[in-house]
Short mmCIF file of all heavy atoms in Angstrom, two decimals:
data_model
loop_
_atom_site.label_atom_id
_atom_site.label_comp_id
_atom_site.label_asym_id
_atom_site.label_seq_id
_atom_site.Cartn_x
_atom_site.Cartn_y
_atom_site.Cartn_z
N LEU A 318 3.08 -6.63 5.81
CA LEU A 318 3.62 -5.29 6.33
C LEU A 318 5.10 -5.32 6.16
O LEU A 318 5.68 -4.19 5.80
CB LEU A 318 3.23 -5.24 7.87
CG LEU A 318 3.85 -4.00 8.53
CD1 LEU A 318 3.20 -2.73 7.92
CD2 LEU A 318 3.52 -4.12 10.07
N LEU A 319 5.78 -6.44 6.40
CA LEU A 319 7.24 -6.49 6.18
C LEU A 319 7.63 -6.13 4.77
O LEU A 319 8.50 -5.39 4.50
CB LEU A 319 7.79 -7.75 6.72
CG LEU A 319 9.37 -7.94 6.54
CD1 LEU A 319 10.11 -6.93 7.30
CD2 LEU A 319 9.78 -9.32 6.98
N ALA A 320 6.89 -6.73 3.93
CA ALA A 320 7.15 -6.52 2.40
C ALA A 320 6.91 -5.08 2.05
O ALA A 320 7.69 -4.54 1.31
CB ALA A 320 6.27 -7.46 1.63
N LEU A 321 5.85 -4.54 2.55
CA LEU A 321 5.54 -3.09 2.20
C LEU A 321 6.56 -2.19 2.80
O LEU A 321 7.14 -1.25 2.13
CB LEU A 321 4.20 -2.80 2.79
CG LEU A 321 3.77 -1.27 2.78
CD1 LEU A 321 3.75 -0.72 1.27
CD2 LEU A 321 2.42 -1.03 3.45
N GLY A 322 6.96 -2.43 4.13
CA GLY A 322 8.02 -1.60 4.73
C GLY A 322 9.31 -1.74 3.97
O GLY A 322 10.02 -0.67 3.96
N THR A 323 9.67 -2.87 3.60
CA THR A 323 10.91 -3.07 2.81
C THR A 323 10.92 -2.23 1.56
O THR A 323 11.81 -1.62 1.12
CB THR A 323 11.15 -4.56 2.44
OG1 THR A 323 11.21 -5.27 3.76
CG2 THR A 323 12.46 -4.77 1.81
N ALA A 324 9.76 -2.35 0.83
CA ALA A 324 9.59 -1.57 -0.48
C ALA A 324 9.68 -0.06 -0.13
O ALA A 324 10.28 0.69 -0.92
CB ALA A 324 8.30 -1.95 -1.12
N ASN A 325 8.93 0.40 0.90
CA ASN A 325 9.06 1.82 1.13
C ASN A 325 10.49 2.21 1.55
O ASN A 325 10.86 3.28 1.09
CB ASN A 325 8.16 2.06 2.41
CG ASN A 325 6.67 2.03 2.09
OD1 ASN A 325 6.25 2.07 0.89
ND2 ASN A 325 5.85 2.08 3.13
N GLN A 326 11.17 1.45 2.33
CA GLN A 326 12.57 1.83 2.70
C GLN A 326 13.43 1.87 1.52
O GLN A 326 14.23 2.84 1.31
CB GLN A 326 13.02 0.74 3.75
CG GLN A 326 14.45 1.08 4.21
CD GLN A 326 15.04 -0.03 5.05
OE1 GLN A 326 15.13 -1.17 4.52
NE2 GLN A 326 15.60 0.25 6.27
N THR A 327 13.25 0.87 0.59
CA THR A 327 14.08 0.88 -0.60
C THR A 327 13.77 2.10 -1.45
O THR A 327 14.64 2.74 -2.10
CB THR A 327 13.81 -0.39 -1.34
OG1 THR A 327 14.17 -1.53 -0.52
CG2 THR A 327 14.65 -0.44 -2.66
N ARG A 328 12.48 2.37 -1.51
CA ARG A 328 12.12 3.54 -2.46
C ARG A 328 12.71 4.86 -1.82
O ARG A 328 13.18 5.70 -2.56
CB ARG A 328 10.66 3.70 -2.54
CG ARG A 328 10.13 4.76 -3.42
CD ARG A 328 8.64 4.75 -3.56
NE ARG A 328 8.16 5.99 -4.20
CZ ARG A 328 6.84 6.31 -4.26
NH1 ARG A 328 5.93 5.60 -3.65
NH2 ARG A 328 6.44 7.39 -4.80
N LEU A 329 12.56 4.96 -0.57
CA LEU A 329 13.04 6.28 0.17
C LEU A 329 14.54 6.34 0.14
O LEU A 329 15.02 7.46 -0.17
CB LEU A 329 12.50 6.38 1.55
CG LEU A 329 10.99 6.67 1.70
CD1 LEU A 329 10.40 6.19 2.99
CD2 LEU A 329 10.79 8.21 1.41
N ALA A 330 15.24 5.21 0.38
CA ALA A 330 16.70 5.32 0.47
C ALA A 330 17.29 5.34 -0.98
O ALA A 330 18.47 5.69 -1.08
CB ALA A 330 17.18 4.13 1.20
N GLY A 331 16.62 4.87 -1.98
CA GLY A 331 17.12 4.83 -3.35
C GLY A 331 17.70 3.46 -3.71
O GLY A 331 18.04 3.34 -4.88
N SER A 332 17.83 2.54 -2.79
CA SER A 332 18.36 1.27 -3.03
C SER A 332 18.07 0.40 -1.77
O SER A 332 17.78 0.94 -0.71
CB SER A 332 19.88 1.33 -3.32
OG SER A 332 20.60 1.86 -2.18
N PRO A 333 18.27 -0.89 -1.96
CA PRO A 333 18.03 -1.76 -0.74
C PRO A 333 19.04 -1.37 0.44
O PRO A 333 20.16 -1.06 0.15
CB PRO A 333 18.32 -3.19 -1.23
CG PRO A 333 17.96 -3.09 -2.74
CD PRO A 333 18.41 -1.78 -3.12
N VAL A 334 18.56 -1.34 1.67
CA VAL A 334 19.41 -1.00 2.74
C VAL A 334 19.91 -2.29 3.42
O VAL A 334 19.12 -3.11 3.95
CB VAL A 334 18.52 -0.23 3.77
CG1 VAL A 334 19.44 0.15 5.06
CG2 VAL A 334 18.05 1.05 3.14
N THR A 335 21.26 -2.44 3.29
CA THR A 335 21.94 -3.64 3.92
C THR A 335 23.19 -3.07 4.56
O THR A 335 23.51 -1.90 4.53
CB THR A 335 22.31 -4.56 2.81
OG1 THR A 335 23.17 -4.02 1.87
CG2 THR A 335 20.99 -5.20 2.07
N GLY A 336 23.86 -4.05 5.27
CA GLY A 336 25.11 -3.59 5.90
C GLY A 336 25.51 -4.50 7.09
O GLY A 336 24.63 -5.18 7.47
N PRO A 337 26.79 -4.42 7.46
CA PRO A 337 27.13 -5.31 8.60
C PRO A 337 26.44 -5.12 9.93
O PRO A 337 26.20 -6.08 10.68
CB PRO A 337 28.69 -5.01 8.72
CG PRO A 337 28.94 -3.68 8.12
CD PRO A 337 27.72 -3.63 6.97
N LEU A 338 25.92 -3.89 10.13
CA LEU A 338 25.27 -3.64 11.43
C LEU A 338 24.00 -4.41 11.46
O LEU A 338 23.60 -4.94 12.51
CB LEU A 338 24.93 -2.09 11.46
CG LEU A 338 24.02 -1.72 12.70
CD1 LEU A 338 24.84 -2.00 14.01
CD2 LEU A 338 23.69 -0.24 12.67
N PHE A 339 23.28 -4.54 10.31
CA PHE A 339 21.97 -5.28 10.22
C PHE A 339 22.22 -6.79 10.31
O PHE A 339 21.43 -7.55 10.75
CB PHE A 339 21.18 -4.91 9.01
CG PHE A 339 20.88 -3.37 8.97
CD1 PHE A 339 21.30 -2.60 7.97
CD2 PHE A 339 20.23 -2.79 10.05
CE1 PHE A 339 20.98 -1.22 7.91
CE2 PHE A 339 19.96 -1.51 10.02
CZ PHE A 339 20.38 -0.67 8.91
N ASP A 340 23.44 -7.21 9.82
CA ASP A 340 23.83 -8.63 10.00
C ASP A 340 24.12 -8.89 11.47
O ASP A 340 23.89 -10.00 11.93
CB ASP A 340 25.03 -9.00 9.14
CG ASP A 340 24.77 -8.83 7.65
OD1 ASP A 340 23.62 -9.02 7.25
OD2 ASP A 340 25.71 -8.46 6.88
N PHE A 341 24.81 -8.00 12.09
CA PHE A 341 25.10 -8.09 13.53
C PHE A 341 23.90 -8.16 14.37
O PHE A 341 23.79 -8.88 15.40
CB PHE A 341 26.09 -6.99 13.94
CG PHE A 341 26.45 -6.95 15.48
CD1 PHE A 341 27.31 -7.91 15.92
CD2 PHE A 341 25.94 -6.00 16.26
CE1 PHE A 341 27.66 -7.88 17.27
CE2 PHE A 341 26.31 -5.97 17.57
CZ PHE A 341 27.26 -6.97 18.10
N ALA A 342 22.91 -7.29 14.13
CA ALA A 342 21.55 -7.14 14.88
C ALA A 342 20.42 -7.20 13.94
O ALA A 342 19.76 -6.08 13.62
CB ALA A 342 21.58 -5.83 15.73
N PRO A 343 20.14 -8.37 13.44
CA PRO A 343 19.02 -8.48 12.46
C PRO A 343 17.66 -7.95 13.00
O PRO A 343 16.86 -7.60 12.22
CB PRO A 343 18.98 -10.02 12.06
CG PRO A 343 19.73 -10.59 13.22
CD PRO A 343 20.73 -9.64 13.73
N ALA A 344 17.55 -8.05 14.32
CA ALA A 344 16.17 -7.55 14.80
C ALA A 344 15.91 -6.15 14.53
O ALA A 344 14.78 -5.70 14.12
CB ALA A 344 16.07 -7.81 16.39
N ILE A 345 17.00 -5.30 14.59
CA ILE A 345 16.73 -3.89 14.29
C ILE A 345 16.37 -3.66 12.83
O ILE A 345 15.63 -2.70 12.46
CB ILE A 345 17.93 -3.05 14.70
CG1 ILE A 345 17.56 -1.46 14.91
CG2 ILE A 345 19.03 -3.07 13.73
CD1 ILE A 345 16.63 -1.25 15.99
N ASP A 346 16.91 -4.52 12.00
CA ASP A 346 16.67 -4.46 10.60
C ASP A 346 15.08 -4.65 10.32
O ASP A 346 14.38 -4.03 9.56
CB ASP A 346 17.40 -5.46 9.79
CG ASP A 346 17.26 -5.30 8.20
OD1 ASP A 346 17.23 -4.19 7.76
OD2 ASP A 346 17.28 -6.31 7.56
N VAL A 347 14.60 -5.76 11.04
CA VAL A 347 13.16 -6.03 10.90
C VAL A 347 12.31 -5.02 11.46
O VAL A 347 11.24 -4.64 10.91
CB VAL A 347 12.87 -7.43 11.61
CG1 VAL A 347 11.39 -7.69 11.59
CG2 VAL A 347 13.59 -8.58 10.88
N PHE A 348 12.70 -4.39 12.57
CA PHE A 348 11.90 -3.36 13.21
C PHE A 348 11.85 -2.13 12.29
O PHE A 348 10.84 -1.49 12.17
CB PHE A 348 12.46 -2.99 14.58
CG PHE A 348 12.31 -4.00 15.63
CD1 PHE A 348 13.10 -4.01 16.81
CD2 PHE A 348 11.46 -5.07 15.51
CE1 PHE A 348 13.05 -4.90 17.73
CE2 PHE A 348 11.43 -6.06 16.44
CZ PHE A 348 12.15 -6.07 17.60
N LEU A 349 12.99 -1.73 11.72
CA LEU A 349 13.08 -0.65 10.81
C LEU A 349 11.98 -0.85 9.62
O LEU A 349 11.34 0.02 9.25
CB LEU A 349 14.42 -0.39 10.35
CG LEU A 349 15.46 0.30 11.27
CD1 LEU A 349 16.80 0.27 10.80
CD2 LEU A 349 14.93 1.74 11.52
N LYS A 350 12.21 -2.06 9.05
CA LYS A 350 11.44 -2.39 7.86
C LYS A 350 9.87 -2.49 8.15
O LYS A 350 9.14 -1.85 7.44
CB LYS A 350 11.96 -3.58 7.13
CG LYS A 350 13.34 -3.41 6.38
CD LYS A 350 13.78 -4.71 5.80
CE LYS A 350 14.92 -4.44 4.89
NZ LYS A 350 16.18 -4.03 5.53
N SER A 351 9.58 -3.29 9.17
CA SER A 351 8.18 -3.51 9.35
C SER A 351 7.52 -2.44 10.11
O SER A 351 6.31 -2.19 9.89
CB SER A 351 8.08 -4.98 10.12
OG SER A 351 8.61 -4.82 11.38
N HIS A 352 8.20 -1.83 10.99
CA HIS A 352 7.53 -0.84 11.90
C HIS A 352 7.76 0.63 11.33
O HIS A 352 6.77 1.26 11.11
CB HIS A 352 8.09 -0.97 13.36
CG HIS A 352 7.20 -0.07 14.15
ND1 HIS A 352 5.87 -0.02 14.18
CD2 HIS A 352 7.62 0.83 15.22
CE1 HIS A 352 5.47 0.83 15.08
NE2 HIS A 352 6.51 1.34 15.69
N LEU A 353 8.97 1.11 11.29
CA LEU A 353 9.21 2.45 10.89
C LEU A 353 8.69 2.67 9.50
O LEU A 353 7.79 3.52 9.22
CB LEU A 353 10.68 2.90 11.03
CG LEU A 353 10.99 4.27 10.60
CD1 LEU A 353 10.19 5.31 11.35
CD2 LEU A 353 12.53 4.57 10.69
N PHE A 354 9.16 1.93 8.59
CA PHE A 354 8.87 2.10 7.15
C PHE A 354 7.54 1.41 6.85
O PHE A 354 6.99 1.65 5.72
CB PHE A 354 9.97 1.78 6.27
CG PHE A 354 11.19 2.65 6.41
CD1 PHE A 354 12.28 2.21 7.09
CD2 PHE A 354 11.21 3.94 5.85
CE1 PHE A 354 13.39 3.13 7.21
CE2 PHE A 354 12.25 4.78 5.93
CZ PHE A 354 13.36 4.34 6.74
N GLY A 355 7.07 0.52 7.65
CA GLY A 355 5.79 -0.19 7.39
C GLY A 355 4.70 0.56 8.18
O GLY A 355 3.92 1.34 7.63
N ASP A 356 4.56 0.20 9.44
CA ASP A 356 3.52 0.84 10.33
C ASP A 356 3.42 2.32 10.21
O ASP A 356 2.26 2.83 10.20
CB ASP A 356 3.70 0.41 11.69
CG ASP A 356 3.37 -1.04 12.08
OD1 ASP A 356 2.26 -1.52 11.52
OD2 ASP A 356 4.09 -1.70 12.76
N ILE A 357 4.55 2.99 10.19
CA ILE A 357 4.45 4.51 10.32
C ILE A 357 4.44 5.13 8.90
O ILE A 357 3.54 5.91 8.58
CB ILE A 357 5.70 5.00 11.10
CG1 ILE A 357 5.65 4.57 12.53
CG2 ILE A 357 5.71 6.59 11.11
CD1 ILE A 357 6.75 4.97 13.51
N PHE A 358 5.38 4.77 8.07
CA PHE A 358 5.43 5.47 6.84
C PHE A 358 4.40 5.08 5.85
O PHE A 358 4.09 5.63 4.83
CB PHE A 358 6.84 5.32 6.16
CG PHE A 358 7.83 6.37 6.50
CD1 PHE A 358 8.38 6.34 7.79
CD2 PHE A 358 8.18 7.39 5.54
CE1 PHE A 358 9.31 7.32 8.18
CE2 PHE A 358 8.99 8.38 5.97
CZ PHE A 358 9.66 8.37 7.23
N ALA A 359 3.68 3.98 6.10
CA ALA A 359 2.51 3.57 5.37
C ALA A 359 1.20 4.22 5.74
O ALA A 359 0.26 4.16 5.04
CB ALA A 359 2.32 2.03 5.52
N ARG A 360 1.19 4.89 6.79
CA ARG A 360 0.12 5.61 7.24
C ARG A 360 -0.17 6.83 6.22
O ARG A 360 0.72 7.64 6.14
CB ARG A 360 0.19 6.15 8.73
CG ARG A 360 0.03 4.97 9.71
CD ARG A 360 0.48 5.35 11.02
NE ARG A 360 -0.33 6.39 11.70
CZ ARG A 360 -1.48 6.14 12.44
NH1 ARG A 360 -1.87 4.93 12.65
NH2 ARG A 360 -2.08 7.11 13.01
N ASP A 361 -1.32 6.83 5.59
CA ASP A 361 -1.44 7.67 4.38
C ASP A 361 -2.11 9.02 4.67
O ASP A 361 -2.43 9.71 3.77
CB ASP A 361 -2.11 6.94 3.29
CG ASP A 361 -3.56 6.53 3.80
OD1 ASP A 361 -4.05 6.98 4.86
OD2 ASP A 361 -4.29 5.99 2.95
N ASN A 362 -2.08 9.54 5.82
CA ASN A 362 -2.69 10.87 6.24
C ASN A 362 -1.57 11.90 6.38
O ASN A 362 -1.81 13.09 6.67
CB ASN A 362 -3.53 10.95 7.29
CG ASN A 362 -2.92 10.42 8.60
OD1 ASN A 362 -1.83 9.86 8.55
ND2 ASN A 362 -3.56 10.75 9.74
N LEU A 363 -0.28 11.56 6.08
CA LEU A 363 0.82 12.48 6.04
C LEU A 363 1.77 12.08 4.92
O LEU A 363 2.11 10.85 4.87
CB LEU A 363 1.43 12.49 7.42
CG LEU A 363 2.39 13.66 7.66
CD1 LEU A 363 1.60 15.01 7.70
CD2 LEU A 363 3.14 13.48 8.96
N ASP A 364 2.04 12.94 4.00
CA ASP A 364 2.95 12.62 2.92
C ASP A 364 4.35 12.47 3.33
O ASP A 364 4.78 12.85 4.43
CB ASP A 364 2.82 13.71 1.81
CG ASP A 364 3.28 15.08 2.24
OD1 ASP A 364 4.42 15.27 2.16
OD2 ASP A 364 2.47 15.82 2.79
N TRP A 365 5.08 11.69 2.53
CA TRP A 365 6.49 11.44 2.81
C TRP A 365 7.39 12.64 2.95
O TRP A 365 8.28 12.68 3.81
CB TRP A 365 7.06 10.51 1.87
CG TRP A 365 6.52 9.00 2.06
CD1 TRP A 365 5.86 8.58 3.13
CD2 TRP A 365 6.86 7.91 1.29
NE1 TRP A 365 5.66 7.25 2.88
CE2 TRP A 365 6.26 6.85 1.71
CE3 TRP A 365 7.49 7.78 0.06
CZ2 TRP A 365 6.26 5.54 1.20
CZ3 TRP A 365 7.56 6.49 -0.48
CH2 TRP A 365 6.94 5.41 0.04
N GLN A 366 7.14 13.69 2.20
CA GLN A 366 7.92 14.90 2.26
C GLN A 366 7.74 15.54 3.73
O GLN A 366 8.73 15.87 4.35
CB GLN A 366 7.67 15.88 1.26
CG GLN A 366 8.04 15.42 -0.21
CD GLN A 366 7.88 16.54 -1.24
OE1 GLN A 366 7.33 17.64 -0.93
NE2 GLN A 366 8.37 16.26 -2.42
N SER A 367 6.46 15.54 4.13
CA SER A 367 6.34 16.09 5.60
C SER A 367 6.96 15.22 6.59
O SER A 367 7.53 15.76 7.58
CB SER A 367 4.65 16.08 5.78
OG SER A 367 4.11 17.02 4.94
N ARG A 368 6.86 13.94 6.36
CA ARG A 368 7.54 13.02 7.38
C ARG A 368 9.06 13.19 7.38
O ARG A 368 9.67 13.08 8.51
CB ARG A 368 7.22 11.50 7.02
CG ARG A 368 5.69 11.14 7.31
CD ARG A 368 5.54 9.63 7.35
NE ARG A 368 4.13 9.37 7.52
CZ ARG A 368 3.47 9.31 8.68
NH1 ARG A 368 4.19 9.54 9.77
NH2 ARG A 368 2.27 8.97 8.70
N GLU A 369 9.60 13.53 6.19
CA GLU A 369 11.11 13.68 6.16
C GLU A 369 11.46 15.09 6.84
O GLU A 369 12.50 15.13 7.43
CB GLU A 369 11.58 13.50 4.72
CG GLU A 369 11.83 12.01 4.32
CD GLU A 369 12.57 11.31 5.36
OE1 GLU A 369 13.81 11.73 5.75
OE2 GLU A 369 12.19 10.27 5.87
N ILE A 370 10.72 16.06 6.49
CA ILE A 370 10.95 17.41 7.13
C ILE A 370 10.82 17.17 8.71
O ILE A 370 11.66 17.70 9.44
CB ILE A 370 9.97 18.38 6.67
CG1 ILE A 370 10.24 18.70 5.26
CG2 ILE A 370 10.15 19.65 7.51
CD1 ILE A 370 9.14 19.62 4.61
N ALA A 371 9.87 16.38 9.16
CA ALA A 371 9.68 16.16 10.54
C ALA A 371 10.95 15.40 11.15
O ALA A 371 11.46 15.78 12.15
CB ALA A 371 8.54 15.34 10.76
N THR A 372 11.47 14.44 10.39
CA THR A 372 12.61 13.65 10.90
C THR A 372 13.89 14.56 10.90
O THR A 372 14.62 14.48 11.83
CB THR A 372 12.76 12.49 10.00
OG1 THR A 372 11.60 11.58 9.91
CG2 THR A 372 13.90 11.57 10.47
N VAL A 373 14.06 15.29 9.93
CA VAL A 373 15.30 16.19 9.86
C VAL A 373 15.15 17.22 11.02
O VAL A 373 16.09 17.38 11.80
CB VAL A 373 15.33 17.00 8.53
CG1 VAL A 373 16.25 18.21 8.60
CG2 VAL A 373 15.72 16.05 7.33
N GLY A 374 13.93 17.70 11.36
CA GLY A 374 13.82 18.55 12.53
C GLY A 374 14.21 17.93 13.87
O GLY A 374 14.95 18.44 14.67
N MET A 375 13.63 16.66 14.08
CA MET A 375 14.05 15.86 15.18
C MET A 375 15.51 15.69 15.32
O MET A 375 16.20 15.93 16.42
CB MET A 375 13.27 14.56 15.19
CG MET A 375 11.86 14.69 15.48
SD MET A 375 11.08 13.05 15.55
CE MET A 375 10.31 12.93 13.90
N LEU A 376 16.15 15.15 14.33
CA LEU A 376 17.52 14.68 14.32
C LEU A 376 18.45 15.93 14.39
O LEU A 376 19.55 15.84 15.09
CB LEU A 376 17.87 13.90 13.11
CG LEU A 376 17.21 12.52 12.92
CD1 LEU A 376 17.57 11.86 11.66
CD2 LEU A 376 17.50 11.62 14.13
N ALA A 377 18.02 17.07 13.88
CA ALA A 377 18.86 18.25 14.00
C ALA A 377 18.88 18.75 15.35
O ALA A 377 19.89 19.40 15.81
CB ALA A 377 18.34 19.32 13.04
N ALA A 378 17.80 18.53 16.08
CA ALA A 378 17.73 19.06 17.50
C ALA A 378 18.42 18.20 18.56
O ALA A 378 18.69 18.50 19.66
CB ALA A 378 16.20 19.09 17.86
N MET A 379 18.83 16.91 18.16
CA MET A 379 19.52 16.00 19.00
C MET A 379 21.00 15.84 18.68
O MET A 379 21.32 15.35 17.57
CB MET A 379 18.75 14.61 18.90
CG MET A 379 17.26 14.66 19.35
SD MET A 379 16.53 12.98 19.52
CE MET A 379 16.53 12.52 17.78
N PRO A 380 21.83 16.28 19.44
CA PRO A 380 23.28 16.03 19.15
C PRO A 380 23.62 14.64 19.14
O PRO A 380 23.08 13.69 19.74
CB PRO A 380 24.09 16.72 20.38
CG PRO A 380 23.00 17.56 21.03
CD PRO A 380 21.65 16.92 20.79
N GLY A 381 24.65 14.24 18.31
CA GLY A 381 25.22 12.93 18.28
C GLY A 381 24.59 12.02 17.24
O GLY A 381 24.92 10.83 17.27
N VAL A 382 23.71 12.52 16.36
CA VAL A 382 23.10 11.57 15.30
C VAL A 382 23.36 12.16 13.94
O VAL A 382 22.57 12.08 13.15
CB VAL A 382 21.58 11.43 15.66
CG1 VAL A 382 21.40 10.63 16.94
CG2 VAL A 382 20.93 12.74 15.66
N ASP A 383 24.59 12.64 13.76
CA ASP A 383 24.96 13.31 12.53
C ASP A 383 24.83 12.34 11.24
O ASP A 383 24.42 12.85 10.22
CB ASP A 383 26.40 13.83 12.53
CG ASP A 383 26.57 14.96 13.61
OD1 ASP A 383 25.46 15.52 13.98
OD2 ASP A 383 27.62 15.21 14.03
#
Side-chain angles (χ1 to χ4, degrees):
L318 177 62
L319 178 59
L321 172 61
T323 301
N325 285 347
Q326 184 191 49
T327 300
R328 182 179 171 191
L329 285 160
S332 62
V334 177
T335 60
L338 177 63
F339 301 122
D340 296 332
F341 177 70
I345 200 67
D346 187 38
V347 173
F348 292 162
L349 283 169
K350 287 179 167 67
S351 65
H352 186 47
L353 177 58
F354 292 103
D356 282 318
I357 296 177
F358 271 75
R360 288 165 66 87
D361 62 3
N362 60 340
L363 196 65
D364 62 90
W365 282 353
Q366 290 188 355
S367 296
R368 290 193 183 279
E369 280 307 307
I370 293 170
T372 303
V373 166
M375 286 181 259
L376 294 176
M379 297 188 294
V382 291
D383 294 341

